[in-house]
Amino acid sequence: MAKYVPDITTNRWVIIAEGRTKRPTDTKLSGAQNINKICVFCPGLERIPGEELYRLGGGSPYERGWRVRVIKNKYPITDFHEVIIHSPQDKVDIPELELTQIELIIAAYRHRFIANSKMGHVMIFNNVGEAAGASIRHPHSQVVVVPRQITIDTLPLEPVVNVVRESRDFTVFCPDFSQWPFEVWIAPKTKGKYFGEIKDGEIEGLAFLLKETLNRLLFHLSGGAHLHPGMPMIPFKAGPAYNFYIHHGQNWYLRIIPRLVHRAGFELGTGIQVNIVDPADAAETLRQEIGG
Ligand SMILES: [Zn+2]
């Protein structure tokens, strides 16, 4: 059971979720620490990890045949915490998956957003790499519902500037108010919508841009010529580390945050984030084509 503790003067909250210390981890691959030899998100073990809530693809609940599967998180942050397993494939994630599979993942996001909306604020997010907080390697996203009476410290949709690219329905851009180096936002051109209102045609467009944008980040942030020499950043050489989340409120957006830096004392003490890369420069880098 999650415990919500307020700070009365600032209306901020912490969630005390002691049960999460018991959750398994398999991202530490160094010998003895790798306690999870089998992956419970892989096909064939559907009965182990938790109550099945939803699936896309075929097969009966708790059987094989699914293409995307949603289960209850056994180690929840809040009372409603779900895991969306991206595909039956253990090591293939969005940058490499086929577009039709990514469309299914986003369709599952929409389904769970709508299904959980009456319970509170629906946070959908994806953690990739240990530095981004991932503990199970098999690619998955999470859905956490925060009760409405809990204030969420979140950003509204920022003005569209520093455009990386655009499609019929979406713009990919690096906001002037970027708190992290190379953070990228994908926002629908139609304003005023909640994510749950996304249409099938828009899901196709978002799947394409999400995959494409992640691949731009992976390419440009892997330590190549575009990371300036001497920059105090951790490139993706040893593997990518990033988060993305979908804004829960009106005027939704999808925000991708590469985890290239650690937060330090000044930022922790002031709440002011220091971004060492100008978002205009980040956009210029990301506009450059992938290849060669
Ligand atoms: Zn697996």
Side-chain angles (χ1 to χ4, degrees):
M1 197 70 174
K3 194 163 82 181
Y4 298 89
V5 182
D7 174 63
I8 306 294
T9 52
T10 62
N11 208 19
R12 288 195 172 96
W13 297 78
V14 291
I15 298 177
I16 311 293
E18 285 182 300
R20 286 188 55 80
T21 56
K22 299 188 191 79
R23 75 197 152 122
T25 172
D26 68 3
T27 54
K28 288 188 178 63
L29 294 171
S30 46
Q33 293 184 79
N34 185 16
I35 45 164
N36 253 21
K37 294 272 192 294
I38 53 162
C39 173
V40 295
F41 290 175
C42 273
L45 297 170
E46 283 81 359
R47 292 192 178 277
I48 296 177
E51 185 185 334
E52 178 166 334
L53 300 168
Y54 181 66
R55 67 164 55 199
L56 289 168
S60 310
Y62 303 102
E63 302 289 342
R64 291 169 185 262
W66 52 274
R67 292 186 67 192
V68 174
R69 202 165 91 92
V70 183
I71 58 175
K72 255 191 190 169
N73 192 319
K74 271 192 176 173
Y75 307 93
I77 295 174
T78 70
D79 296 342
F80 299 97
H81 188 166
E82 305 176 356
V83 176
I84 298 176
I85 305 171
H86 286 184
S87 87
Q89 292 180 273
D90 192 63
K91 295 188 182 68
V92 185
D93 203 359
I94 293 170
E96 295 169 314
L97 284 171
E98 291 192 1
L99 284 176
T100 51
Q101 184 67 32
I102 303 168
E103 289 163 16
L104 290 180
I105 296 168
I106 297 171
Y109 289 172
R110 177 178 63 185
H111 185 276
R112 301 321 296 163
F113 186 96
I114 295 169
N116 284 300
S117 286
K118 55 186 175 299
M119 259 81 78
H121 304 295
V122 183
M123 305 299 308
I124 297 173
F125 59 95
N126 175 228
N127 303 330
V128 172
E130 232 181 308
S135 56
I136 300 276
R137 181 196 52 208
H138 193 130
H140 64 281
S141 295
Q142 301 179 62
V143 184
V144 172
V145 183
V146 180
R148 287 198 195 281
Q149 60 269 35
I150 304 291
T151 323
I152 296 182
D153 195 0
T154 192
L155 296 174
L157 177 62
E158 292 291 323
V160 173
V161 292
N162 307 318
V163 173
V164 176
R165 64 167 298 162
E166 59 185 314
S167 66
R168 187 191 61 193
D169 298 323
F170 294 97
T171 314
V172 182
F173 67 106
C174 301
D176 280 337
F177 187 84
S178 283
Q179 296 174 308
W180 297 81
F182 287 96
E183 70 169 89
V184 184
W185 295 36
I186 304 176
K189 288 181 175 173
T190 311
K191 299 296 176 247
K193 302 284 187 189
Y194 287 87
F195 174 71
E197 299 176 77
I198 190 170
K199 298 186 178 75
D200 290 345
E202 294 170 320
I203 286 180
E204 281 176 33
L206 181 61
F208 177 83
L209 284 179
L210 179 58
K211 174 174 179 165
E212 216 253 355
T213 304
L214 288 174
N215 276 308
R216 279 174 193 261
L217 288 167
L218 298 190
F219 177 79
H220 291 297
L221 302 181
S222 289
H226 303 295
L227 278 191
H228 309 290
M231 259 190 179
M233 295 202 285
I234 313 148
F236 285 176
K237 259 186 194 145
Y242 61 84
N243 308 97
F244 70 73
Y245 70 84
I246 294 170
H247 179 62
H248 66 279
Q250 210 172 8
N251 286 317
W252 73 270
Y253 57 84
L254 187 152
R255 182 187 187 196
I256 306 167
I257 302 175
R259 301 301 290 266
L260 300 161
V261 294
H262 294 296
R263 287 304 185 206
F266 173 78
E267 293 154 313
L268 300 178
T270 60
I272 300 170
Q273 313 297 340
V274 181
N275 185 354
I276 56 176
V277 177
D278 188 314
D281 295 339
E284 194 185 322
T285 296
L286 294 173
R287 274 194 294 269
Q288 295 173 31
E289 286 308 313
I290 296 176

Coordinates of all heavy atoms in Angstrom, one line a residue, residues 39-42 88-90 137-138, ligand 1:
C39 N 13.3 -14.9 -17.9 CA 12.6 -13.6 -18.0 C 11.1 -13.9 -17.9 O 10.6 -14.5 -18.8 CB 13.0 -12.9 -19.3 SG 12.0 -11.5 -19.6
V40 N 10.4 -13.3 -16.9 CA 9.0 -13.6 -16.8 C 8.1 -12.8 -17.7 O 6.9 -13.0 -17.7 CB 8.6 -13.4 -15.3 CG1 9.3 -14.4 -14.4 CG2 8.8 -11.9 -14.9
F41 N 8.7 -11.9 -18.5 CA 8.0 -11.2 -19.5 C 8.0 -11.9 -20.8 O 7.3 -11.5 -21.8 CB 8.5 -9.7 -19.6 CG 8.2 -8.8 -18.4 CD1 8.7 -7.5 -18.4 CD2 7.5 -9.3 -17.4 CE1 8.5 -6.7 -17.3 CE2 7.2 -8.4 -16.3 CZ 7.8 -7.2 -16.3
C42 N 8.8 -12.9 -21.0 CA 8.9 -13.7 -22.2 C 7.7 -14.6 -22.4 O 7.1 -15.1 -21.4 CB 10.2 -14.5 -22.3 SG 11.6 -13.5 -22.9
P88 N 6.7 -9.8 -27.7 CA 7.3 -11.1 -27.1 C 8.8 -11.1 -27.2 O 9.4 -12.0 -26.6 CB 6.7 -12.2 -28.0 CG 5.5 -11.5 -28.7 CD 5.8 -10.1 -28.8
Q89 N 9.4 -10.2 -27.9 CA 10.8 -10.3 -28.1 C 11.6 -9.6 -26.9 O 11.3 -8.5 -26.5 CB 11.2 -9.5 -29.4 CG 10.8 -10.3 -30.6 CD 11.2 -9.5 -31.9 OE1 10.4 -8.6 -32.3 NE2 12.3 -9.8 -32.4
D90 N 12.5 -10.4 -26.4 CA 13.2 -10.0 -25.2 C 14.2 -8.9 -25.3 O 14.4 -8.1 -24.4 CB 14.0 -11.3 -24.7 CG 14.5 -11.1 -23.2 OD1 13.6 -11.0 -22.4 OD2 15.7 -11.1 -23.0
R137 N 15.0 -6.0 -18.1 CA 15.5 -5.7 -19.4 C 14.5 -5.8 -20.5 O 14.4 -5.0 -21.4 CB 16.7 -6.6 -19.7 CG 17.4 -6.4 -21.1 CD 18.3 -7.6 -21.4 NE 17.5 -8.8 -21.3 CZ 18.0 -10.0 -21.0 NH1 19.3 -10.1 -20.7 NH2 17.3 -11.1 -20.9
H138 N 13.6 -6.8 -20.4 CA 12.6 -7.1 -21.5 C 11.8 -5.8 -21.7 O 11.2 -5.3 -20.7 CB 11.7 -8.2 -21.1 CG 10.8 -8.7 -22.2 ND1 10.7 -10.0 -22.5 CD2 10.0 -8.0 -23.1 CE1 9.9 -10.2 -23.5 NE2 9.5 -9.0 -23.9
Ligands
ZN1 ZN 11.9 -11.5 -21.8

